[in-house]
Amino acid sequence: RDRRAGVFPGDPITQGWGGGLGAAFPGTKVANRGISGDTTRGVLIRLQDDVLSLDPAAVVLLVGTNDLEEGATPEVAAGNLELILLAIEKHGARTPIVLCEVMPSSEAMKRPAAAIKAMNALYRAAVKGRPQVTVLDTWTLFADARGDAPAALFPDLLHPNEAGYSKWAAALR
């Protein structure tokens, strides 16, 4: 039933769309494959079964924040991202991919702005020369003046609220 959908693999931020994902993209077939606590390594491991087996019409990927919380370096996450992109390209060289930058969080959440910015820079470098990948700057979309998640949109400084999801959906559309 999710074959040829726009597939959203990722972490709990993606999972948090819940039923609102379809409502955010009316008339578009979407499949939410976000999993709480997931990392770039986790997405890589489950990519075949959860994403590629659906023969996705497009892939919208947001992942990496939990890598930082678990102590992985931005370089490790970017290396896993490269492997994810290669697997999607091998499956369908023309499959459009939207790579959402890691959203801001906070030092208190073990996700300091400097580490997220470094990860996003490595992500942007990883997609150079990949015409099927569009980078969505979800960092700038949400970061406050300190580079943290604004509490008005991220009450726990990690997961967006309804207003945050609306802003993300508008940027994706």
Side-chain angles (χ1 to χ4, degrees):
R1 111 179 182 224
D2 288 336
R3 287 190 56 72
R4 299 294 303 147
V7 181
F8 286 65
D11 56 34
I13 295 172
T14 300
Q15 182 184 30
W17 281 102
L21 182 62
F25 303 97
T28 303
K29 188 176 183 179
V30 292
N32 188 332
R33 293 299 185 267
I35 293 182
S36 183
D38 215 354
T39 60
T40 55
R41 182 177 180 275
V43 169
L44 183 60
I45 289 168
R46 64 187 178 85
L47 191 65
Q48 181 58 50
D49 291 341
D50 281 3
V51 179
L52 301 180
S53 68
L54 300 176
D55 194 22
V59 175
V60 178
L61 180 63
L62 171 70
V63 69
T65 192
N66 289 329
D67 293 64
L68 293 174
E69 199 263 338
E70 288 186 358
T73 64
E75 291 78 11
V76 166
N80 287 336
L81 173 68
E82 285 262 11
L83 296 172
I84 291 166
L85 295 174
L86 285 170
I88 296 169
E89 291 164 1
K90 184 177 177 186
H91 179 80
R94 296 179 194 265
T95 303
I97 301 167
V98 177
L99 175 63
C100 298
E101 289 190 341
V102 178
M103 295 176 181
S105 182
S106 88
E107 180 94 39
M109 300 298 290
K110 299 182 184 173
R111 294 162 174 89
I116 295 172
K117 286 163 78 171
M119 185 178 288
N120 286 336
L122 291 168
Y123 278 16
R124 284 190 302 279
V127 303
K128 284 207 185 312
R130 289 187 153 103
Q132 82 280 19
V133 181
T134 301
V135 176
L136 180 61
D137 182 0
T138 43
W139 167 265
T140 303
L141 182 67
F142 290 116
D144 67 14
R146 290 183 324 271
D148 289 337
L153 297 175
F154 294 76
D156 66 356
L157 302 179
L158 180 60
H159 304 95
N161 58 17
E162 189 174 334
Y165 281 106
S166 293
K167 191 171 181 176
W168 185 20
L172 281 167
R173 283 192 297 271

